[in-house]
Amino acid sequence: MIDFEKIVLKNGLTVLTHQDTTTPMAAVNVLYKVGSRNESSDNTGFAHLFEHLMFGGSENVGDFDEIIQIAGGENNAFTNSDYTNYYEVLPVENIESALWVEADRMANLIISKKSLDVQRKVVVEEFKEVCLNTPYGDAWHHISSMCYQNHPYNWPTIGKVPEHIDQAKIEDVSQFYQKYYTPHNAVLSIASPLGHDEMKVLANKWFAEIDSSSSKWDRLSPEPVQKEKRQKEVSADVPVRSVYLAFPMPDRLDPKFYICDLLSDLLASGKSSKLYQNLVKKSQFFSSINAYISGTFDPGLFIIEGKPMPDVDMEKAKNLIWQQIDIIKNGKVTERELIKLKNKLTTEIILSNLDILNKAMILSYFEALGNVDLVNEQIEMYSKISKDDVINVANEILVEERLNELIYLPSDN
Amino acid sequence: MQQIDRLKRGPKSHIISTVDIITPNQYTLSSGVPLYAYKSEGIGAIRLEIVFEAGRLYETKRLVAQSCASLITEGSLKMTSSEISEAIDYEGAYLSSQGNSDFITLRLTCAKKSLKKVLPILKDIIVAPTFSEEELNIYKNRRKQRMTINLTKNDILSYRAITESLYGKDSVYGYNSTFEMLDDITSSDLKSHYNQNCTNDRAHIFLSGDYGNDDIKSIENLSLAFKNKKNLPSKYQATKTEKQTIQIKGRENQSSLKLALPLFNRNHKNYPGIYFLNTILGGYFGSRLMKNIREEKGYTYNIYSMLDTYKYDGSWIISCELDNEYVNDTLEQISCEFDKLKTEPLSNQELQMVKNYLLGNFMSTINGPFKAINPVKMQTLLGLESTFYNQLSQEILAFESDEIQSLAREYLNIDNFWKVIVGKA
């Protein structure tokens, strides 16, 4: 249970506070509701590049990192397809340093040509390190372009190609800032040992005077229902073969989201899961296998990913995965299995609520999603799920005509 | 531009002068095993760690310690591997066993109410892990496939090469795993490693979270299942190695660059100073290397330096992934940063910033019901003074520019650093 209070400042900024008296630390989290889904298809990777530029300086703060380090804190940020998230963790006596830097860059970011030039290069190196120079590093590029033909989830957050990042212009940067980095489009959460009232006073003190132009929402093209199976085979510099099966699934607020999550756990969470026990341990057909959901705000993906052992041919490997899916679709799910998965999720939620930063982050997350109360309803959402729910959703989602299949084969050189 | 007076001047930043390190309750269980326990009532969860001094240092054959650790939970007298994972997962618990150079660690994390159900399973595992041939084979095959993948990654190749050349290919801290080593391991090697080393005289237990007094009784009972032994103390002999420069062909989009210097463990008198100097050089986001090579030149996504320390030895490693065309200038810039640290005094501002950063960061790493016990755990396991982390905090606060500069002059000579580049050959 995360006890929180919520206010909305007159400029539209939503503020969430959580008191934790057991810690000497404070976490400040600012989420902006903009991610790579808000980019245009010929200018991808921009939201993430922009996140890098947010550290370049603002009108009154020269160097964000220095201010936070002097305050004894640590700060960082990440971007995904739906939002961009900035955070600081620091000793509570210096909490105002974090509020100051976040407020100042919300009010008046300064983007210099020099900072843009450097960060373009940094992000291109990040692109190479994470996607191009790592085996299977471009899997998400292949999967998203196959699964999303209309919706902007078509490209990964890092961008389609390094060239898009290279061509980012300073005018685009300031437009992007004006459009998305407004109090209206942001959520501030503070978790600390201070009282709720005190945290609200501080939020008001630092953020209330920032102007807000109310932003227009982007209308994102919906993804049409997939009608037939799609396949892609990639010959790449990878050491062993790998297979990915991706299926479209409902959005984050759909009750079926939770069922899909539980279904992916049934297949692959923990050593007792079906795929691990049957395909890795008992038969040794795979060296590794996993199932997970993308968890995006808009309709997402249910993915099964595995690496067959050298002596198992790819057709057989795929059939073996389908056999395991069919076992579930045919109703072979026990009450005990369901209890097991729910117990595991409950522990997971208890553990994630022990961390002050995590609590600040998920408060912002659920608020951005549209309903902050969900933060305390997660265990209940999962506990409601019945055996039949799992079987029905498996039959609805994990079907061949909605399959997107990606296979990596080692190239010869 | 918005004009907001409030934002023109930032708040006053307070200097951090103390870090609260908790003192856990200490017990000597009737098995002779020490238990350190730190209670956080009401959190609903518990973590139990059993650490054996049974890592590579105690092996009679390569890779036995790590393999033994990985297979402890894969079958007991009463339960098969899949029965164990089913039972643990059913209780919503997490159980892992890991081996490294110095230790084998069993870690259990679970909800408060599950501990009573899980402890008997854990005890059954500890009494007599089976280390069956079948489970060993599964482990070998999976590990080989994982190695096949990892050996195509530049950063892994560069880490293997630098640590091997630095510590020596026959040293416990330097040897790299190979397929042949894996092939050579037998089930009886694992059993004998376990029986010899995962014993009551080499065990330490750390308990955190929402436990009750009856739980301590159950853990005492569990510890009676450890083999009763009086082992001889371990001996570590450092290998003398020669400085090397190594170039390896790897993936070509970027090169992995590593520089390293042989150093020492945390007991060395210069450790606090080098810890401080390392932070300035490459130990945090605002470090000299990050500022120059990432934030000024844009050559890399990340460059860092770290003290890679073990119980008996240690080294200083600088690491970075970057386009091949930037490698030479980056080497040059690293050398320039060394020179600056040797010749130019630290500004008061940087000195104060690093002090505050390090103390705040330390507070953060020990914040939370499961992390608070970490300083005591490190002190116990690494054979450090019981006041080590308190002293380290005090020393950090007291450092002055000339002490750090003189350490820079003593250690930061680029010609003394080992060098590995993996990428375009």
Side-chain angles (χ1 to χ4, degrees):
Chain A
M1 175 78 184
I2 302 176
D3 176 41
F4 67 89
E5 289 183 16
K6 173 177 164 175
I7 51 168
V8 180
L9 306 188
K10 61 181 189 300
N11 58 14
L13 178 69
T14 304
V15 181
L16 300 156
T17 56
H18 165 69
Q19 183 178 23
D20 179 346
T21 53
T22 68
T23 170
M25 307 299 287
V28 171
N29 192 80
V30 180
L31 179 154
Y32 292 92
K33 295 176 221 170
V34 57
S36 55
R37 68 174 178 174
N38 302 93
E39 296 162 352
S40 69
S41 60
D42 51 3
N43 209 6
T44 67
F46 198 83
H48 169 249
L49 173 65
F50 190 88
E51 173 219 307
H52 279 244
L53 299 174
M54 279 285 274
F55 292 87
S58 57
E59 196 189 1
N60 303 297
V61 182
D63 185 325
F64 295 108
D65 302 315
E66 259 176 36
I67 301 291
I68 299 302
Q69 286 153 10
I70 288 169
E74 198 119 39
N75 59 322
N76 211 336
F78 62 85
T79 311
N80 60 33
S81 52
D82 301 318
Y83 60 93
T84 312
N85 193 81
Y86 301 83
Y87 60 86
E88 288 80 26
V89 180
L90 72 184
V92 67
E93 56 263 45
N94 287 334
I95 188 171
E96 288 192 82
S97 296
L99 296 169
W100 177 49
V101 302
E102 289 300 352
D104 204 50
R105 63 180 167 189
M106 191 182 286
N108 284 314
L109 186 70
I110 289 173
I111 300 139
S112 68
K113 176 80 173 54
K114 157 97 178 151
S115 162
L116 177 60
D117 288 345
V118 169
Q119 293 307 321
R120 275 198 307 234
K121 285 170 79 177
V122 169
V123 173
V124 167
E125 289 304 312
E126 182 181 358
F127 198 122
K128 290 182 199 161
E129 185 175 332
V130 179
C131 304
L132 304 181
N133 218 38
T134 310
Y136 322 102
D138 56 357
W140 201 246
H141 282 86
H142 294 299
I143 292 170
S144 47
S145 70
M146 197 176 0
C147 297
Y148 294 99
Q149 316 215 315
N150 265 27
H151 188 280
Y153 288 164
N154 174 269
W155 53 89
T157 303
I158 188 81
K160 262 187 212 172
V161 284
E163 290 72 26
H164 280 188
I165 294 146
D166 255 338
Q167 76 199 13
K169 288 190 263 321
I170 200 127
E171 307 84 76
D172 304 338
V173 174
S174 39
Q175 266 178 28
F176 195 84
Y177 180 65
Q178 297 302 335
K179 181 168 177 191
Y180 296 109
Y181 280 74
T182 66
H184 217 79
N185 205 35
V187 181
L188 164 69
S189 38
I190 308 172
S192 81
L194 304 177
H196 287 284
D197 290 342
E198 200 176 342
M199 287 188 267
K200 286 179 203 164
V201 167
L202 289 175
N204 253 305
K205 172 178 168 188
W206 291 104
F207 288 86
E209 290 172 65
I210 303 171
D211 291 340
S212 195
S213 51
S214 65
S215 45
K216 285 200 193 103
W217 299 110
D218 292 328
R219 195 162 306 182
L220 307 176
S221 345
E223 186 61 23
V225 177
Q226 184 177 343
K227 297 257 167 53
E228 57 186 24
K229 175 174 165 181
R230 300 168 188 152
Q231 283 174 295
K232 188 168 186 180
E233 211 171 80
V234 183
S235 166
D237 183 9
V238 294
V240 302
R241 296 163 304 154
S242 189
V243 54
Y244 299 76
L245 308 180
F247 304 89
M249 63 166 266
D251 67 76
R252 183 64 183 80
L253 287 170
D254 193 307
K256 280 185 192 157
F257 171 90
Y258 296 91
I259 305 173
C260 287
D261 192 21
L262 204 72
L263 175 59
S264 72
D265 287 350
L266 175 65
L267 283 167
S269 163
K271 281 184 176 174
S272 73
S273 63
K274 277 197 160 26
L275 292 177
Y276 184 79
Q277 277 300 322
N278 295 332
L279 301 186
V280 176
K281 287 300 294 277
K282 285 185 193 139
S283 64
Q284 295 194 58
F285 289 129
F286 282 80
S287 68
S288 69
I289 195 147
N290 204 358
Y292 50 92
I293 56 172
S294 62
T296 47
F297 284 8
D298 293 332
L301 297 175
F302 187 110
I303 298 169
I304 301 171
E305 164 190 344
K307 296 191 172 60
M309 281 297 191
D311 56 341
V312 179
D313 80 35
M314 196 41 99
E315 276 315 301
K316 182 176 175 186
K318 287 188 281 181
N319 284 335
L320 287 162
I321 297 175
W322 276 109
Q323 278 170 20
Q324 296 301 313
I325 293 174
D326 287 338
I327 292 176
I328 296 172
K329 284 163 79 169
N330 292 333
K332 290 221 182 80
V333 179
T334 64
E335 285 300 337
R336 186 188 155 88
E337 273 177 309
L338 227 57
I339 295 170
K340 176 174 80 178
L341 298 172
K342 290 174 185 175
N343 284 344
K344 202 113 201 195
L345 280 159
T346 307
T347 313
E348 214 175 279
I349 291 168
I350 294 174
L351 295 177
S352 84
N353 289 354
L354 296 179
D355 183 69
I356 186 107
L357 173 61
N358 197 57
K359 286 190 280 191
M361 271 186 190
I362 59 170
L363 282 171
S364 292
Y365 169 83
F366 281 107
E367 174 62 27
L369 189 61
N371 180 5
V372 66
D373 292 327
L374 282 174
V375 76
N376 290 321
E377 291 166 13
Q378 295 298 291
I379 292 181
E380 194 193 329
M381 297 301 273
Y382 287 108
S383 63
K384 282 200 295 221
I385 298 171
S386 74
K387 215 172 76 178
D388 286 341
D389 291 336
V390 175
I391 297 162
N392 291 340
V393 164
N395 276 294
E396 183 187 326
I397 308 274
L398 305 178
V399 291
E400 187 137 14
E401 61 269 28
R402 303 244 228 112
L403 166 66
N404 299 273
E405 181 185 287
L406 170 68
I407 288 169
Y408 274 95
L409 299 173
S411 55
D412 292 333
N413 44 23
Chain B
M1 277 276 177
Q2 304 181 39
Q3 290 300 324
I4 303 173
D5 286 343
R6 163 88 63 213
L7 295 176
K8 285 195 177 132
R9 279 186 48 208
K12 187 176 162 4
S13 182
H14 303 268
I15 290 174
I16 301 157
S17 51
T18 50
V19 177
D20 244 346
I21 300 175
I22 58 106
T23 312
N25 291 320
Q26 297 190 16
Y27 308 83
T28 303
L29 305 175
S30 58
S31 55
V33 176
L35 167 71
Y36 301 83
Y38 174 61
K39 193 184 270 201
S40 297
E41 253 163 321
I43 66 162
I46 292 176
R47 173 166 292 166
L48 171 69
E49 281 180 296
I50 302 171
V51 186
F52 296 105
E53 292 176 54
R56 279 186 173 191
L57 214 50
Y58 309 88
E59 283 173 350
T60 50
K61 209 189 229 182
R62 296 291 170 79
L63 288 186
V64 163
Q66 209 185 8
S67 310
C68 170
S70 301
L71 287 159
I72 289 177
T73 55
E74 302 293 331
S76 68
L77 283 179
K78 291 189 202 141
M79 295 168 96
T80 63
S81 157
S82 62
E83 284 166 350
I84 291 171
S85 32
E86 174 64 25
I88 298 286
D89 281 348
Y90 185 76
E91 295 302 329
Y94 297 86
L95 175 65
S96 68
S97 55
Q98 277 178 336
N100 62 25
S101 312
D102 299 316
F103 306 104
I104 284 180
T105 303
L106 281 164
R107 176 194 272 192
L108 172 73
T109 310
C110 64
K112 179 181 171 64
K113 64 179 169 51
S114 305
L115 189 70
K116 286 182 179 50
K117 306 254 178 60
V118 182
L119 280 182
I121 304 170
L122 189 58
K123 183 172 180 189
D124 177 51
I125 292 171
I126 285 169
V127 171
T130 45
F131 299 112
S132 71
E133 286 295 341
E134 194 193 345
E135 290 296 338
L136 178 59
N137 269 329
I138 296 173
Y139 170 75
K140 285 181 180 178
N141 290 335
R142 295 190 66 214
R143 177 140 182 207
K144 282 181 190 171
Q145 181 105 330
R146 207 165 60 230
M147 271 172 68
T148 305
I149 295 168
N150 282 338
L151 291 174
T152 72
K153 294 179 182 166
N154 289 1
D155 59 328
I156 292 198
L157 292 173
S158 64
Y159 187 76
R160 282 170 64 106
I162 203 120
T163 46
E164 184 180 274
S165 68
L166 206 62
Y167 295 107
K169 64 176 176 36
D170 294 320
S171 148
V172 290
Y173 297 132
Y175 83 74
N176 285 316
S177 49
T178 64
F179 279 31
E180 291 72 35
M181 288 177 196
L182 267 178
D183 283 334
D184 207 28
I185 295 173
T186 65
S187 162
S188 62
D189 292 333
L190 302 183
K191 274 181 208 155
S192 78
H193 185 84
Y194 182 82
N195 291 332
Q196 281 302 320
N197 301 298
C198 295
T199 52
N200 61 354
D201 64 330
R202 289 202 167 152
H204 308 266
I205 304 181
F206 304 91
L207 175 67
S208 304
D210 207 351
Y211 60 86
N213 289 339
D214 50 335
D215 294 325
I216 292 189
K217 273 264 162 286
S218 314
I219 290 164
E220 172 158 55
N221 185 16
L222 175 92
S223 73
L224 288 165
F226 302 157
K227 303 268 172 317
N228 187 2
K229 267 234 152 60
K230 282 268 170 291
N231 277 297
L232 293 171
S234 63
K235 267 200 207 125
Y236 172 72
Q237 190 72 51
T239 316
K240 184 107 190 74
T241 55
E242 294 292 324
K243 191 191 82 177
Q244 288 189 58
T245 294
I246 300 169
Q247 184 108 26
I248 299 171
K249 195 178 148 31
R251 289 178 187 270
E252 297 189 349
N253 286 303
Q254 277 187 324
S255 294
S256 174
L257 170 67
K258 283 196 171 57
L259 297 177
L261 184 75
L263 230 51
F264 35 66
N265 66 8
R266 288 176 174 80
N267 270 317
H268 193 277
K269 68 173 179 11
N270 284 344
Y271 178 81
I274 295 291
Y275 178 74
F276 198 87
L277 176 57
N278 171 65
T279 308
I280 298 171
L281 175 69
Y284 72 134
F285 199 90
S287 72
R288 302 282 184 97
L289 292 176
M290 268 304 246
K291 277 221 150 16
N292 181 347
I293 292 157
R294 174 178 145 139
E295 293 299 294
E296 186 59 34
K297 307 220 163 49
Y299 286 171
T300 182
Y301 176 53
N302 189 20
I303 180 164
Y304 63 88
S305 65
M306 64 168 180
L307 304 181
D308 197 23
T309 41
Y310 302 98
K311 183 158 184 173
Y312 297 103
D313 213 333
S315 63
W316 202 341
I317 298 182
I318 299 171
S319 174
C320 168
E321 315 289 305
L322 73 182
D323 195 288
N324 308 299
E325 64 169 307
Y326 304 139
V327 170
N328 286 334
D329 194 37
T330 296
L331 286 167
E332 191 104 336
Q333 294 303 325
I334 293 172
S335 168
C336 287
E337 292 302 337
F338 283 10
D339 289 341
K340 276 193 206 153
L341 287 166
K342 287 190 275 192
T343 53
E344 296 169 17
L346 297 167
S347 69
N348 273 336
Q349 172 166 359
E350 188 175 11
L351 206 58
Q352 192 54 55
M353 176 165 73
V354 174
K355 289 178 181 182
N356 259 5
Y357 168 76
L358 279 175
L359 260 56
N361 179 260
F362 186 38
M363 281 173 74
S364 180
T365 58
I366 61 173
N367 179 42
F370 294 158
K371 290 192 247 168
I373 207 166
N374 281 345
V376 170
K377 185 163 80 188
M378 300 282 277
Q379 284 163 183
T380 309
L381 294 176
L382 298 176
L384 306 168
E385 294 286 330
S386 64
T387 52
F388 180 83
Y389 281 100
N390 272 315
Q391 272 175 22
L392 184 63
S393 316
Q394 290 313 309
E395 282 178 73
I396 286 169
L397 282 172
F399 277 123
E400 293 188 18
S401 176
D402 52 352
E403 299 168 77
I404 300 304
Q405 219 178 327
S406 99
L407 285 172
R409 281 195 288 267
E410 190 178 341
Y411 289 91
L412 293 181
N413 296 309
I414 195 90
D415 295 335
N416 295 342
F417 276 68
W418 269 243
K419 185 165 83 186
V420 173
I421 300 170
V422 179
K424 220 175 210 165

